[in-house]
Amino acid sequence: MKKSDLVIGFIIGIVAAGIAAFLFLLSITKLQYIKFLIHEPGIMGKVITLGAIINILIFFFLLKKDKELMARGIVLATIILALITVLFK
């Protein structure tokens, strides 16, 4: 196990949550309304939370592949996203 696996897991968690949140926004709105929704009070925290759900799937996938340190990075990213969500509310 390398210490860089933790950082790689963290980056994977943040990027995956960002992509999932963006895809969620694209699926429910038209492209020109995304900027409006991001500045709407209370919406951004909910979008971040929905985006972080994908981290659960990635976490269990990494555990199945015996990548425990990367899975810890995913958990760390999820905790950071939870703190950001609290700040947005």
Side-chain angles (χ1 to χ4, degrees):
M1 284 195 242
K2 298 182 279 185
K3 293 290 182 185
S4 63
D5 285 349
L6 181 70
V7 174
I8 292 170
F10 177 77
I11 292 170
I12 290 171
I14 295 294
V15 169
I19 290 172
F22 182 71
L23 290 176
F24 173 73
L25 281 175
L26 280 180
S27 68
I28 64 166
T29 63
K30 293 182 180 176
L31 194 56
Q32 65 258 25
Y33 296 116
I34 290 177
K35 190 173 182 180
F36 169 74
L37 280 177
I38 289 175
H39 296 295
E40 185 78 22
I43 296 291
M44 195 60 193
K46 294 173 186 174
V47 170
I48 292 172
T49 303
L50 287 171
I53 290 175
I54 193 74
N55 285 349
I56 296 170
L57 300 173
I58 297 171
F59 174 77
F60 284 116
F61 174 77
L62 289 173
L63 283 181
K64 191 160 185 90
K65 295 291 183 181
D66 293 325
K67 302 282 187 178
E68 290 88 10
L69 214 50
M70 277 190 190
R72 286 185 197 175
I74 297 291
V75 171
L76 180 63
T78 305
I79 291 170
I80 297 295
L81 288 171
L83 292 174
I84 291 171
T85 302
V86 168
L87 292 175
F88 272 113
K89 286 189 176 189

